[in-house]
Amino acid sequence: MEADIRRAGCPRLMLVTDRHRALAPLPDLVEAAISGGVDAVQLREPDLDEGEVQRLGSTLARICEGRALFVVNNDPSLASELGAGLHLPEAAARRGSGPLPFISRAVHSRQSAAMAHDYDALIAGHVFPSASKPGRPPLTLAGLGSIVQATPLPVIAIGGIDQTNVASVIAAGARGVAIIGSIATAADPEAAARAIREAVDEAICRYDERRGQAMTTGATDTSVDVEINGRHESFSKGVTLLDILAERRLSTKLVAVERNGEIVPRDHFETTRLAEGDRLEIVHFVGGG
């Protein structure tokens, strides 16, 4: 490939493959996901042998051609052969990957993000509890926000993300999301991808509007410190009560929220943005009989 290859932009919705969890064969899943709005597909099948990965990669690359960015996980040679992008683990070195249309790196901490340079994007996770990372504590929105603030590179969030919490991830500063289960295990993956993509696009639009307003007014602080049930946490400016509940996977129908001593009506959760020093008490009611 030519050394002056044009670099791809940051994907908004990336599908990461996992054939063990997918309800459909991967070629069918990828076709449906792209039709629904996925603009990047990452091939990640670590238990396949080299020949199987190469054959599957060739098939998926053809499906993605001209429609979505195709990315290979941790295989520079295959990425180069297919003219694909490359995703590297946090511990992997970038050198030797050559000129590719897209190179991303996994990060799991603010320190790792601050030391990552010369990538097209960082993929940060896992943000929420995830089936692919059982028993490992998640970053949370606060951790994601810390990573975003530590790097000038665009950040793609991964881990436990679905239509219900994707807006909170974008509000924390992510420029896109990478998803496995919410699309792969959906009965209708095209519809699932479309719903998530629409939520991502809408959230990015709102985030950019807030950023524009902040620049106009000269505001420079990008985070707010609040107290939730007696615990101090930091979030990106503009985060809403609905974002907080989505992060905790709490149903709006089963919670009561008190902000600075006053009950917040449920129909105000989406429009109530947190301010510096806010004190929240969130009570979750458990159904039963």
Side-chain angles (χ1 to χ4, degrees):
M1 300 185 67
E2 298 296 329
D4 62 350
I5 187 168
R6 183 178 179 182
R7 308 295 290 188
C10 180
R12 289 193 171 190
L13 179 56
M14 175 183 287
L15 171 67
V16 181
T17 70
D18 183 342
R19 71 190 192 286
H20 298 296
R21 297 173 63 187
L23 298 183
L26 288 186
D28 296 342
L29 173 65
V30 168
E31 176 66 44
I34 293 174
S35 297
V38 160
D39 56 358
V41 175
Q42 181 188 148
L43 172 61
R44 184 184 181 278
E45 301 294 334
D47 60 335
L48 285 180
D49 64 35
E50 184 176 345
E52 291 174 318
V53 170
Q54 186 175 34
R55 286 189 291 274
L56 180 57
S58 297
T59 298
L60 299 187
R62 286 195 296 271
I63 295 172
C64 291
E65 186 173 4
R67 304 168 65 200
L69 172 69
F70 183 58
V71 180
V72 173
N73 185 282
N74 199 26
D75 192 334
S77 297
L78 182 59
S80 180
E81 177 184 334
L82 296 176
L86 175 67
H87 176 65
L88 294 171
E90 188 172 50
R94 187 189 188 286
R95 59 182 178 273
S97 54
L100 299 172
F102 178 87
I103 302 178
S104 61
R105 179 186 173 187
V107 294
H108 306 294
S109 69
R110 179 187 180 93
Q111 293 76 14
S112 178
M115 293 187 294
H117 305 288
D118 199 22
Y119 295 92
D120 296 291
L122 303 179
I123 300 185
H126 54 292
V127 179
F128 304 118
S130 171
S132 63
K133 304 290 183 182
R136 293 175 56 180
L139 277 176
T140 74
L141 287 177
L144 174 62
S146 178
I147 285 174
V148 169
Q149 293 170 25
T151 177
L153 300 176
V155 174
I156 299 170
I158 191 171
I161 299 171
D162 56 29
Q163 185 184 359
T164 68
N165 58 25
V166 70
S168 64
V169 169
I170 301 301
R175 297 304 294 175
V177 296
I179 286 178
I180 303 175
S182 298
I183 295 176
T185 64
D188 187 341
E190 180 177 344
R194 181 173 295 110
I196 295 170
R197 178 58 189 266
E198 289 175 353
V200 169
D201 289 345
E202 181 180 349
I204 288 178
C205 184
R206 291 200 305 266
Y207 180 86
D208 288 345
E209 286 178 355
R210 292 197 300 269
R211 285 285 299 272
Q213 292 169 359
M215 292 178 65
T216 300
T217 59
T220 57
D221 191 11
T222 59
S223 64
V224 291
D225 293 320
V226 301
E227 181 182 306
I228 302 179
N229 291 354
R231 178 181 176 182
H232 290 278
E233 300 189 39
S234 179
F235 299 93
S236 295
K237 184 169 288 186
V239 68
T240 67
L241 285 180
L242 187 62
D243 294 334
I244 300 299
L245 298 177
E247 178 196 12
R248 288 160 169 75
R249 296 183 178 275
L250 297 176
S251 168
T252 57
K253 298 179 180 179
L254 296 175
V255 297
V257 180
E258 184 181 274
R259 181 191 188 197
N260 302 327
E262 296 185 1
I263 297 294
V264 181
R266 288 189 175 89
D267 58 359
H268 289 187
F269 287 171
E270 185 173 3
T271 57
T272 300
R273 303 192 185 283
L274 299 187
E276 183 73 21
D278 273 352
R279 299 186 312 280
L280 301 181
E281 291 293 333
I282 301 175
V283 178
H284 180 225
F285 304 103
V286 180

